[in-house]
Amino acid sequence: MAESELVETITREVMRRLSAEPKRVFTPAEIAPYIDHTLLKPEATDGQLAKLCEEAVAYGFFSVCVNSGRVACCARALQGSAVKVASVVGFPLGAMSARAKNLEARHAIEDGAREIDMVMNIGAAKSGDWKLVESDIRSVSRACAGNVALKVILETALLSDEEKILACQVAKNAGADFVKTSTGFSTHGANVHDVALMRRTVGPRLGVKASGGIRSFEDAVAMIEAGATRLGTSAGVKIVTGGASEAAY
Amino acid sequence: MAESELVETITREVMRRLSAEPKRVFTPAEIAPYIDHTLLKPEATDGQLAKLCEEAVAYGFFSVCVNSGRVACCARALQGSAVKVASVVGFPLGAMSARAKNLEARHAIEDGAREIDMVMNIGAAKSGDWKLVESDIRSVSRACAGNVALKVILETALLSDEEKILACQVAKNAGADFVKTSTGFSTHGANVHDVALMRRTVGPRLGVKASGGIRSFEDAVAMIEAGATRLGTSAGVKIVTGGASEAAY
């Protein structure tokens, strides 16, 4: 390397390191307010849902994330607490009609949901019909009417990077408050590459929720460092207690 | 074996064989009217749905079975043919609210569905809340209003034999026209044991649909012999052509 080139390289590296924000160091308990405590498997019993709500209060999770048929009982269980109820909609395939998604969201909100995690129309995206993807999201966005947070699940496992970028832009245009990586029911969940790509695409203001396969404190921190502002996981208790105990769900 | 015991054993065996109905021998092409030609994966494109409809007409399948967001385009593609459109509802978790299932079914029927394949409330069943399982099915049954066939998916992979029997009885009471084994999205699909159990439980009049994992002509015949009157599969073309070709979906 020539002397001038060496100077340039070292200068750039020093500048880069000086300008980088200091890395925030998390304790496990500080992860709690990032977590949507999640139980979506169809065979979950009433008892397991009750336990989910109790844990969310005990550990200070942001919300419980459940299927729309479970919203009313969770809202009752969480009354008077700071923990919100998030309902999935069009879950997990995203392939139901826009009208049905709109009404599922409306009913969930009536039942007490304060956040809606909808799955976008993946088939329309794969067919290049981004107009339909957008109108489908707008349909649910109308149901949220500005006072319920709308998260749009892209199902990144099924998309190319180009499709992920387009999906983020369309979701942002259509009124989403968050873009979210995964349902947890496809071939893979969140990864650092996708979360960073989504964060770069939507800019600093929109939320990015990483979900699917987040099983440990290390996973959680990696997602937050990549740009996630919310985490969907069923391993929340293990993550915030730093425990080696297996997730209950 | 004592002589009298031997006589009894031989007599029983001869009686059993005489009373058995002669086994029907199927050719591959005769399976076609049993088949709901199925494409439910979320990333399916418009082009793949169009091909599904073309194949259903070409091979004489009973219906195409699709997500509710695809019903309108399939109904248009199949206009003037004998092939019906079946829409899944509350699919594949069965965990959305009863009201949302009712409305998803209504919209699918407005869009042209002539059969509804709903997933029952599995979580309610696992919690022993059979009243909720029944009212959930009745909610969709009302949407079908007697002129659209209602199939209730039990998701047998998640149920004990006792729960399968109760689910069949509840579905029958609540107005189902068919009980159906599986979504194809759980841990396993149809098997001979479950189909026979469901047939014995619902009696001869209700339909039994075997679905999930039916990949070959031999699978199809085994399900029909066990008591199935309808088959849900994405391998229909392979089954009816007797071909070794892989399923397209």
Side-chain angles (χ1 to χ4, degrees):
Chain A
M1 204 183 278
E3 205 174 284
S4 63
E5 209 179 331
L6 192 65
V7 170
E8 174 65 8
T9 303
I10 292 170
T11 307
R12 285 189 183 181
E13 182 61 14
V14 172
M15 290 304 291
R16 197 189 64 76
R17 294 199 192 176
L18 285 172
S19 69
E21 287 177 41
K23 231 181 187 178
R24 177 170 171 191
V25 179
F26 286 94
T27 64
E30 286 170 338
I31 304 291
Y34 286 83
I35 290 179
D36 289 342
H37 197 36
T38 302
L39 179 51
L40 293 165
K41 62 180 189 179
E43 69 272 31
T45 62
D46 296 344
Q48 289 174 306
L49 269 295
K51 183 159 170 270
L52 185 85
C53 292
E54 284 166 25
E55 288 170 349
V57 172
Y59 294 99
F61 296 135
F62 188 86
S63 80
V64 295
C65 182
V66 297
N67 283 292
S68 64
R70 306 296 201 156
V71 168
C73 73
C74 290
R76 275 194 301 276
L78 291 167
Q79 214 163 18
S81 84
V83 179
K84 295 182 199 303
V85 180
S87 176
V88 295
V89 160
F91 192 86
L93 304 183
M96 68 193 224
S97 63
R99 288 195 295 174
K101 286 184 190 175
N102 170 285
L103 289 160
E104 188 182 12
R106 278 185 201 281
H107 292 326
I109 292 164
E110 279 176 29
D111 284 349
R114 286 296 159 264
E115 305 210 321
I116 295 292
D117 290 34
M118 72 171 285
V119 186
M120 76 164 190
N121 189 330
I122 299 159
K126 300 304 289 187
S127 305
D129 189 351
W130 294 96
K131 271 196 172 169
L132 181 53
V133 175
E134 186 163 341
S135 64
D136 185 69
I137 298 170
R138 278 192 198 282
S139 160
V140 181
S141 174
R142 273 196 303 276
C144 294
N147 53 21
V148 169
L150 174 60
K151 312 190 192 94
V152 175
I153 305 172
L154 311 188
E155 200 68 288
T156 48
L158 302 178
L159 305 180
S160 68
D161 278 0
E162 195 190 345
E163 289 164 342
K164 290 168 205 165
I165 291 168
L166 279 164
C168 284
Q169 292 167 338
V170 164
K172 192 176 175 180
N173 282 342
D177 300 293
F178 280 78
V179 287
K180 174 175 168 183
T181 59
S182 314
T183 62
F185 287 78
S186 193
T187 47
H188 70 72
N191 60 43
V192 163
H193 167 81
D194 288 339
V195 170
L197 178 66
M198 289 160 70
R199 171 54 68 207
R200 281 199 303 279
T201 307
V202 299
R205 288 210 180 147
L206 235 62
V208 173
K209 177 171 170 182
S211 55
I214 301 172
R215 310 301 301 165
S216 69
F217 173 67
E218 291 69 28
D219 291 343
V221 171
M223 295 301 156
I224 293 170
E225 288 179 349
T229 48
R230 195 75 68 79
L231 307 172
T233 176
S234 56
V237 173
K238 183 187 158 201
I239 290 170
V240 301
T241 57
S245 70
E246 272 312 294
Y249 315 114
Chain B
M1 205 182 278
E3 206 174 281
S4 64
E5 209 180 329
L6 192 66
V7 170
E8 174 65 8
T9 303
I10 292 169
T11 307
R12 284 190 185 180
E13 182 61 12
V14 172
M15 290 304 290
R16 197 188 64 74
R17 293 198 195 177
L18 285 172
S19 70
E21 288 178 41
K23 233 179 184 179
R24 177 171 170 190
V25 179
F26 286 95
T27 65
E30 286 170 337
I31 304 290
Y34 286 83
I35 290 179
D36 288 343
H37 197 37
T38 301
L39 180 51
L40 294 164
K41 62 179 191 182
E43 69 272 31
T45 62
D46 297 343
Q48 290 174 307
L49 269 295
K51 182 159 170 270
L52 186 84
C53 292
E54 283 166 25
E55 288 170 348
V57 173
Y59 294 99
F61 297 134
F62 189 87
S63 79
V64 296
C65 182
V66 298
N67 283 292
S68 63
R70 307 295 201 155
V71 168
C73 72
C74 290
R76 274 194 301 277
L78 291 167
Q79 215 163 18
S81 84
V83 179
K84 295 183 198 304
V85 180
S87 175
V88 294
V89 160
F91 192 87
L93 304 183
M96 68 192 223
S97 63
R99 288 195 295 175
K101 285 184 191 176
N102 170 285
L103 289 160
E104 188 182 13
R106 278 185 200 282
H107 293 327
I109 293 165
E110 279 176 28
D111 284 351
R114 285 297 159 263
E115 304 210 323
I116 295 293
D117 290 34
M118 72 171 286
V119 186
M120 75 164 190
N121 189 329
I122 299 158
K126 300 304 288 187
S127 305
D129 190 351
W130 294 96
K131 270 195 172 172
L132 182 53
V133 175
E134 185 163 342
S135 63
D136 185 72
I137 299 169
R138 278 193 197 282
S139 161
V140 180
S141 174
R142 274 195 302 278
C144 293
N147 53 22
V148 169
L150 174 60
K151 312 190 192 94
V152 175
I153 305 172
L154 311 187
E155 199 69 289
T156 48
L158 302 178
L159 304 180
S160 68
D161 278 0
E162 196 190 345
E163 288 164 344
K164 290 169 205 165
I165 292 168
L166 279 164
C168 284
Q169 292 167 339
V170 164
K172 193 177 175 180
N173 282 342
D177 300 293
F178 280 78
V179 288
K180 173 174 167 182
T181 59
S182 314
T183 61
F185 286 79
S186 192
T187 46
H188 70 72
N191 60 44
V192 163
H193 167 81
D194 288 341
V195 170
L197 178 66
M198 289 161 70
R199 170 55 67 206
R200 281 200 303 279
T201 306
V202 298
R205 289 210 180 147
L206 236 61
V208 173
K209 177 171 169 180
S211 55
I214 301 171
R215 309 301 300 163
S216 68
F217 173 66
E218 291 70 27
D219 292 343
V221 171
M223 295 300 156
I224 293 170
E225 288 179 349
T229 47
R230 194 76 68 77
L231 307 171
T233 176
S234 55
V237 173
K238 182 186 159 203
I239 289 170
V240 302
T241 57
S245 69
E246 273 312 295
Y249 314 113

